[in-house]
Amino acid sequence: MSLAARVIDFLLTITVAKYKKVKGLYFEKTSQVEQLQNTLANQRLSQSRTSLDDSEYMTRFQRLEGATTNLAFNIRKDWRTVPAWLSQSVNQDAMKIGKQEMTAVGRACITKFLVDEIFNRTFHPGLEADLSTNLKAVEQNIRRFSPALNNNEESEALTAKVVQWRLATLEGLKDVLGSPESEEYKKQFSRMATTNLTASLINYLQEVPAGIEDSAHMIVELAVSIASNLPLESRDISISYPMPGDMIQPSLMKVESAIPALENPGAETADADSASTGSGDKDEKEEKSDGKNRKEKTKSGMLSAMMGSSSGANSKKSSVSAPAGETSIENKKLPREYGAQKVRFAGFVAVEVRGRQVLVKAPVWAIN
């Protein structure tokens, strides 16, 4: 064999050896990548938990909004004063008129109580009260004290961090949540929240309306049922309540228009100056007839809330529908582009699955 042939044969041998080595490394790396992908997929599956699906959450929040609206409607003529945080968003003569505006005020007060005392206060209603409150504070602080988020990747990483902490905490509390005491803790929490909600409303009313405690109990039970499922999720479901003066976010809020425009704000007491001409006699007659049927309305509201029929268009139509004149006036004052407007006050919460979708938009009234 000639020297040239030997050189060619040697080079081919080296080339084939290198090819086999590269091929082996390629398949080895591919195998490692597939193994890593399978590991991550199994890890995500093991952490993927859904207590309720999106439609069930939407239904439960609709029932809660319906029950809230029914109670607010039933006490719309009984207000003596409004909370300080809400006074500058309410007309001075609203309590004397006692119609759509005070129904909206009731919705706002009840909803804010639910957010402050249930959704933002308890980690899980089935835990001892102080432990549950402290754990909820830890969960909120993880997000509150995190560095500023600069992009979606950092936001998703923070959400994953919160979720992983929550799921790990629930794993450690499995024996407590599975014990008979857990159900008793939940009942105690519901009783306490019902008492506090009732007392909070009575503090601003002229007298104690019939059936208010039963309605408050219905609302609290619906809220506690939702709060019992939220921590079991492997996703982060955010419940927020827009405060007066916040900027309107169309992605999280829907602007309502069926209450009088804010023209004389400052309803701090029930003795506010009456600026509604010719409405006194009419409202007095309505108040007498309303007093006779208050108990029946409250019971029917509770029943409709249980059936879920009070949510959506029917509850809004029956509870906060305005006369044609008021609606047309308000609609004229509301611009079509409300992105830069501020919130007057909100009638319910906004519910969002962080990084995915909005389940419930908060109904808000705008400052014109």
Side-chain angles (χ1 to χ4, degrees):
M1 182 181 294
S2 65
L3 179 60
R6 289 179 181 179
V7 171
I8 293 173
D9 184 59
F10 176 73
L11 292 175
L12 287 175
T13 303
I14 294 177
T15 303
V16 171
K18 287 184 176 180
Y19 171 76
K20 290 181 178 180
K21 184 177 181 180
V22 171
K23 184 178 179 181
L25 289 174
Y26 171 78
F27 285 109
E28 182 180 349
K29 294 296 182 183
T30 301
S31 177
Q32 290 178 355
V33 170
E34 291 178 351
Q35 185 178 0
L36 180 59
Q37 289 175 338
N38 291 334
T39 301
L40 291 174
N42 292 330
Q43 185 178 2
R44 289 174 180 174
L45 286 174
S46 65
Q47 294 181 348
S48 179
R49 303 177 186 177
T50 301
S51 181
L52 299 174
D53 59 26
D54 291 349
S55 62
E56 183 63 24
Y57 274 118
M58 293 170 67
T59 299
R60 294 196 181 200
F61 276 106
Q62 286 172 354
R63 289 174 180 170
L64 179 59
E65 183 180 10
T68 299
T69 302
N70 282 324
L71 177 55
F73 177 78
N74 291 331
I75 62 175
R76 71 195 186 284
K77 294 180 179 294
D78 298 320
W79 289 85
R80 174 180 55 84
T81 182
V82 298
W85 64 273
L86 198 56
S87 62
Q88 294 304 311
S89 300
V90 181
N91 286 305
Q92 294 178 15
D93 59 351
M95 284 175 287
K96 181 175 181 179
I97 297 174
K99 292 185 178 180
Q100 295 92 344
E101 189 169 357
M102 293 314 298
T103 299
V105 166
R107 294 171 64 188
C109 292
I110 296 169
T111 302
K112 189 173 186 300
F113 175 90
L114 297 178
V115 173
D116 291 344
E117 299 299 324
I118 296 181
F119 295 125
N120 285 350
R121 188 174 179 82
T122 180
F123 180 75
H124 192 290
L127 297 174
E128 190 272 330
D130 290 340
L131 174 62
S132 182
T133 301
N134 291 333
L135 288 175
K136 188 64 177 181
V138 173
E139 180 183 12
Q140 293 170 333
N141 285 341
I142 294 175
R143 187 173 292 277
R144 181 180 297 121
F145 297 118
S146 67
L149 304 176
N150 299 315
N151 49 55
N152 290 335
E153 288 75 14
E154 292 182 1
S155 178
E156 291 175 359
L158 177 58
T159 297
K161 181 179 180 180
V162 173
V163 170
Q164 289 171 4
W165 174 87
R166 189 173 64 235
L167 293 178
T169 303
L170 286 172
E171 287 289 338
L173 294 169
K174 185 174 290 187
D175 58 334
V176 179
L177 292 173
S179 67
E181 289 80 6
S182 179
E183 190 63 29
E184 183 58 32
Y185 286 141
K186 186 176 178 180
K187 291 179 180 178
Q188 291 176 2
F189 180 80
S190 296
R191 287 195 295 266
M192 179 186 67
T194 299
T195 300
N196 291 342
L197 174 57
T198 304
S200 175
L201 292 174
I202 290 176
N203 187 46
Y204 300 106
L205 303 180
Q206 299 176 15
E207 57 184 22
V208 182
I212 186 173
E213 187 170 0
D214 291 337
S215 296
H217 175 72
M218 170 66 66
I219 291 170
V220 168
E221 285 295 315
L222 289 169
V224 169
S225 174
I226 294 172
S228 299
N229 287 280
L230 292 176
L232 307 179
E233 298 282 347
S234 60
R235 49 192 180 159
D236 195 13
I237 299 180
S238 169
I239 300 174
S240 58
Y241 179 75
M243 290 295 291
D246 288 352
M247 299 303 297
I248 289 181
Q249 303 179 47
S251 61
L252 292 174
M253 308 172 193
K254 55 183 179 180
V255 175
E256 303 287 331
S257 61
I259 66 172
L262 184 62
E263 297 178 346
N264 54 343
E268 296 181 351
T269 67
D271 299 324
D273 183 31
S274 68
S276 56
T277 309
S279 63
D281 295 336
K282 182 179 179 181
D283 291 329
E284 188 174 335
K285 292 179 182 178
E286 289 180 1
E287 187 168 6
K288 289 181 181 179
S289 62
D290 184 76
K292 295 179 182 179
N293 300 320
R294 184 69 47 80
K295 190 171 183 179
E296 286 78 4
K297 287 181 179 178
T298 304
K299 290 182 178 179
S300 65
M302 292 168 58
L303 179 59
S304 62
M306 291 179 65
M307 299 299 293
S309 61
S310 59
S311 59
N314 291 338
S315 67
K316 292 177 183 176
K317 182 177 180 181
S318 63
S319 302
V320 293
S321 59
E326 292 180 2
T327 305
S328 61
I329 292 173
E330 184 71 12
N331 285 336
K332 288 179 181 178
K333 293 186 177 182
L334 272 175
R336 293 184 180 180
E337 298 294 333
Y338 52 82
Q341 279 194 298
K342 291 184 177 181
V343 173
R344 178 176 169 185
F345 59 86
F348 198 60
V349 297
V351 184
E352 176 188 13
V353 181
R354 290 189 192 273
R356 299 187 185 180
Q357 64 175 324
V358 175
L359 301 181
V360 179
K361 286 190 175 184
V364 301
W365 289 270
I367 299 176
N368 297 324

